[in-house]
Amino acid sequence: MPTLALPAEGGCRCGRVRLKISAMPLLTMACHCIGCQLMSSSAYSLSAAIPSEGFEVTKGEPVIGGLHGASKHYFCGYCMTWMFTRPEAIDWFVNLRPTMLDDHAWFAPFIETWTAEKLPWAATPAVHSYEALPAFEEYEGLVAEYARTQG
Ligand SMILES: [Zn+2]
Ligand SMILES: [Zn+2]
């Protein structure tokens, strides 16, 4: 398996917004919810939860799109690539769409969520599947287990 080398840079389709990560993901995910199907124009979205102190926009000004509510979805304002999400009421990590990174061959989802809404054929290599979301108290164990799998 290819591994993630830090720091890692990436950007949107047109390159007007660039970003850099300097911390390993806490958890990697695929989400099959209807909202992610709409926003990704595909079967599911991909996320890598990056600690906020290890995440930086290095070029351009991402704009808010998707739901303009408590969770903020950030896009390139020119090519409209959905780049990352700042989850509701949480400021210590950012959910980056891992395919933004120039090298994302290392990425695989460790958990998948909202399988209750998934397309019948959609399958991922996730180790843990949830019909909706993990219970809040499960995340700590998932983060620890994911860290162990990363060596
Ligand atoms: Zn762009
Ligand atoms: Zn979703």
Side-chain angles (χ1 to χ4, degrees), residues 1-10 19 21-29 46-51 94-110 125 146 149-150:
M1 277 284 285
T3 53
L4 170 60
L6 295 174
E9 296 190 32
L19 50 79
I21 65 168
S22 53
M24 296 300 281
L26 300 165
L27 197 60
T28 60
M29 298 159 277
L46 299 175
S47 293
I50 306 296
V94 175
N95 275 333
L96 172 66
R97 309 279 89 74
T99 47
M100 295 307 110
L101 296 172
D102 299 333
D103 175 7
H104 51 264
W106 58 272
F107 181 87
F110 186 67
Y146 176 70
T149 67
Q150 300 306 294

Side-chain angles (χ1 to χ4, degrees), residues 2-43:
T3 53
L4 170 60
L6 295 174
E9 296 190 32
C12 63
R13 180 78 194 258
C14 76
R16 283 174 172 81
V17 179
R18 294 286 295 171
L19 50 79
K20 182 168 82 175
I21 65 168
S22 53
M24 296 300 281
L26 300 165
L27 197 60
T28 60
M29 298 159 277
C31 182
H32 297 274
C33 84
I34 299 289
C36 285
Q37 291 179 28
L38 289 164
M39 288 178 58
S40 65
S41 314
S42 189

Side-chain angles (χ1 to χ4, degrees), residues 39-108:
M39 288 178 58
S40 65
S41 314
S42 189
Y44 48 80
S45 71
L46 299 175
S47 293
I50 306 296
S52 297
E53 70 270 17
F55 176 85
E56 187 186 350
V57 174
T58 54
K59 182 188 167 196
E61 282 287 333
V63 299
I64 293 171
L67 296 178
H68 292 234
S71 286
K72 303 272 190 274
H73 301 116
Y74 287 86
F75 292 72
C76 169
Y78 186 81
C79 71
M80 302 296 176
T81 300
W82 180 28
M83 301 184 72
F84 60 94
T85 302
R86 293 191 186 275
E88 179 178 355
I90 297 171
D91 60 6
W92 50 273
F93 72 86
V94 175
N95 275 333
L96 172 66
R97 309 279 89 74
T99 47
M100 295 307 110
L101 296 172
D102 299 333
D103 175 7
H104 51 264
W106 58 272
F107 181 87

